[in-house]
Amino acid sequence: MYPALLPINIAGEWRPGSGEEYASIYPATGEEVARLNAASAADAEEAIERAHAAFLSTDWARRLPHQRAEVLYRVAALIRQRAEMLAQLQRQDNGKPIQETRALVASAAATFQFFGAACETMEDIITPSRGEYVTMSVHEPMGVVAAITPWNSPIASDAQKLAPALAAGNAVILKPAEVTPLLALELARLCEEAGVPRGMISVLPGKGSVIGDVITRHPLVRRVSFTGGTSTGKHIAGIAAQKMMPVSMELGGKSATMVLDDADLDHAVNGVLYGIFSSSGESCIAGSRLFVARGIYDEFMQRLVAGAQALRVGDPADEKTQMGPLITARHRESIERYVELGVSEGGQIRTGGVRPAGSQFERGWFYTPTIIEGLDNQARITREEIFGPVLVAMPFDDEEALVEQANDSIYALAAGVWSRDFKRAWRLGRAVQAGTVWVNTYKQFSISTPFGGWRDSGLGREKGRAGIVQYMEQKSMYWGTNELPLAWANPSH
């Protein structure tokens, strides 16, 4: 599929990076998908400077909103035309099951379509006059902005940053995760084919410690949008504070799922399984802390364990696979250490906790869906983000204690409530501290609805109509309507 050395995109010029050569690996088999040279610090510097020049010299920022929207619509159409190729590439890039990667590709197309529509219907406002002048508030592009995306859902994450940044009129430096570079490069090609001017997009694969640092510190980069680990996010935020640069951060999570005694158990069991084990648990919003009303705990857990054991772990290319491999061998080892820690803390493994047996699993980085109980909310594995298919289940006795435990976390990204009682669900949904709360469902998303976290789960919001505004500067303008000169300068004043 690819040449011997895959080129990267430096402000519209496709060429090998000047950093170290490395391979993109298929997590299901450990085989190489492509080889490429990473971008170097010098490449990043060049990309930023050339992006700034493109921002000034092309007409992209000056196009009328509906004209930029036309290009975004063409990107959406191209993604749909090549959906199966992109889905298969996404499967190879990070090992997600093909059914899931198809959904991610469809999400990326919908994202470009939504922000095209949001772009051409975005309104500036005339504010109420307080004197002899007309006042208005307008928004303008920032210039060069940067998007740093994670490895767990590349094409969807890339689109959620790239589409609004382009809609706003900016040049974009896209830094994909080192281990999943392929979809960002393909998306840049589609954008260029759709009519985004040369130089307005760069894609810089490689180590975040090298490229991300250059991007964040460079004076021409006016904003950084980052999705990834909390410690890295805090590092970026510290640099941004010195530059007085705005940032948006979508960081870690340790989301609580709460099953009340009046919940529909069929819905709740399926929802909890989907919330933690889809994407092999490699999801920031995974419902990794489970609180179940004590009166239904035993029955619920019996059904949940049976459901977890029935999940199909296997080849991501198989249409029936529900859980594919983990992203790397190193990440699987981290998850295994967390499970060992949970057992040492007094937890009991109800199911999973091992690598699956069979020759088909020998080369890839697979792990079984794992449920642990017997721990409280103070155990390390109930407080630290594991980012894998590990669920810790705990009973609760009353709503007051439930809310206290659910909120007792440095993270506040998402939560789930399962109850037939609308008023109870509303009360809990408002009491739990999280950026997103699902009631009687889980892990559902809409590009039209803002998304983000509180506390160590992040800053700012993505998605929604206001998603464009975060990539723009706001300006107030005053138009004088006074008939006489300003009186202050008159000699008789």
Side-chain angles (χ1 to χ4, degrees):
M1 179 182 295
Y2 288 113
L5 202 60
L6 189 66
I8 66 174
N9 185 329
I10 300 176
E13 181 180 350
W14 293 87
R15 72 185 198 217
S18 59
E20 294 182 356
E21 183 177 332
Y22 76 100
S24 172
I25 303 296
Y26 183 34
T29 63
E31 297 172 325
E32 289 188 8
V33 177
R35 296 194 70 83
L36 65 161
N37 274 25
S40 65
D43 290 333
E45 293 269 0
E46 180 184 352
I48 294 166
E49 290 165 7
R50 290 177 59 184
H52 178 66
F55 173 76
L56 296 177
S57 63
T58 73
D59 69 340
W60 183 253
R62 296 185 297 277
R63 290 187 193 182
L64 295 174
H66 72 277
Q67 294 172 327
R68 290 200 297 270
E70 289 174 356
V71 176
L72 298 185
Y73 293 144
R74 287 198 291 270
V75 176
L78 287 171
I79 292 173
R80 291 185 174 116
Q81 289 172 16
R82 296 167 199 178
E84 186 61 20
M85 179 275 288
L86 293 168
Q88 295 292 351
L89 186 61
Q90 173 79 96
R91 171 183 62 81
Q92 294 176 309
D93 211 18
N94 74 345
K96 281 181 177 281
I98 186 61
Q99 295 282 14
E100 185 173 348
T101 63
R102 288 180 182 135
L104 292 172
V105 170
S107 171
T111 295
F112 274 92
Q113 179 175 312
F114 175 85
F115 280 113
C119 177
E120 68 171 323
T121 58
M122 180 178 169
E123 296 179 346
D124 287 319
I125 60 172
I126 296 178
T127 55
S129 177
R130 306 286 291 184
E132 291 185 301
Y133 42 76
V134 174
T135 52
M136 62 182 63
S137 174
V138 299
H139 291 84
E140 298 177 354
M142 289 180 158
V144 180
V145 299
I148 303 175
T149 57
W151 47 257
N152 57 330
S153 299
I155 192 168
S157 296
D158 295 342
Q160 286 167 20
K161 298 181 190 300
L162 190 56
L166 289 173
N170 298 294
V172 187
I173 307 295
L174 178 57
K175 164 63 182 73
E178 180 183 13
V179 295
T180 53
L182 304 183
L183 269 298
L185 293 167
E186 287 294 333
L187 195 56
R189 289 186 186 277
L190 294 183
C191 288
E192 289 185 356
E193 184 177 341
V196 176
R198 179 182 173 91
M200 296 299 290
I201 300 176
S202 296
V203 181
L204 304 177
K207 294 186 181 298
S209 58
V210 175
I211 305 165
D213 207 54
V214 172
I215 289 171
T216 307
R217 294 181 187 279
H218 201 289
L220 289 177
V221 174
R222 308 302 188 192
R223 183 183 185 89
V224 171
S225 177
F226 171 78
T227 299
T230 298
S231 59
T232 303
K234 289 182 175 181
H235 174 70
I236 292 172
I239 297 171
Q242 296 301 314
K243 288 176 59 179
M244 295 297 290
M245 175 181 70
V247 293
S248 55
M249 301 277 172
E250 196 251 284
L251 308 177
K254 196 70 180 177
S255 301
T257 303
M258 297 159 277
V259 181
L260 306 191
D261 55 11
D262 64 348
D264 183 316
L265 296 192
D266 290 335
H267 282 261
V269 167
N270 281 18
V272 171
L273 290 171
Y274 179 66
I276 179 61
F277 296 129
S278 62
S279 305
S280 298
E282 295 173 322
S283 172
C284 55
I285 48 88
S288 54
R289 289 187 298 153
L290 173 63
F291 298 94
V292 182
R294 193 175 296 277
I296 63 169
Y297 182 83
D298 291 340
E299 178 186 0
F300 186 84
M301 290 302 298
Q302 184 177 359
R303 295 177 63 169
L304 189 70
V305 168
Q309 292 171 343
L311 293 174
R312 294 183 294 272
V313 180
D315 181 358
D318 189 329
E319 300 281 347
K320 295 182 179 179
T321 294
Q322 293 165 285
M323 280 182 57
L326 300 170
I327 187 67
T328 63
R330 181 179 177 182
H331 186 55
R332 180 173 64 178
E333 291 167 1
S334 171
I335 290 167
E336 290 173 327
R337 287 194 295 271
Y338 267 113
V339 173
E340 292 171 1
L341 173 63
V343 172
S344 72
E345 291 180 302
Q348 295 92 47
I349 298 176
R350 284 289 300 265
T351 188
V354 295
R355 301 178 183 183
S359 59
Q360 70 270 34
F361 300 112
E362 290 178 356
R363 293 189 299 161
W365 302 303
F366 295 90
Y367 198 71
T368 52
T370 301
I371 300 174
I372 299 176
E373 61 182 358
L375 295 170
D376 61 23
N377 199 51
Q378 299 306 309
R380 277 185 60 190
I381 69 164
T382 58
R383 304 194 72 79
E384 298 177 14
E385 185 177 37
I386 300 174
F387 217 69
V390 180
L391 175 67
V392 181
M394 296 164 280
F396 73 88
D397 293 303
D398 59 73
E399 288 186 25
E400 183 178 354
L402 172 62
V403 171
E404 182 179 349
Q405 291 182 87
N407 290 341
D408 183 16
S409 173
I410 62 172
Y411 299 109
L413 188 58
V417 178
W418 298 89
S419 172
R420 285 188 174 96
D421 186 326
F422 172 85
K423 292 182 180 180
R424 293 181 75 191
W426 173 263
R427 185 167 62 246
L428 278 174
R430 295 305 301 264
V432 70
Q433 296 168 355
T436 297
V437 178
W438 289 284
V439 178
N440 294 328
T441 188
Y442 203 88
K443 209 176 179 184
Q444 303 299 308
F445 283 112
S446 169
I447 189 60
S448 65
T449 307
F451 177 73
W454 304 1
R455 299 199 292 272
D456 279 19
S457 287
L459 299 168
R461 293 294 181 270
E462 292 187 329
K463 304 183 180 182
R465 291 180 65 87
I468 297 177
V469 175
Q470 71 171 335
Y471 293 101
M472 306 183 87
E473 293 285 8
Q474 191 169 17
K475 177 184 291 182
S476 297
M477 299 188 70
Y478 288 70
W479 295 78
T481 59
N482 45 303
E483 295 291 339
L484 299 175
L486 293 175
W488 182 87
N490 292 340
S492 61
H493 175 72

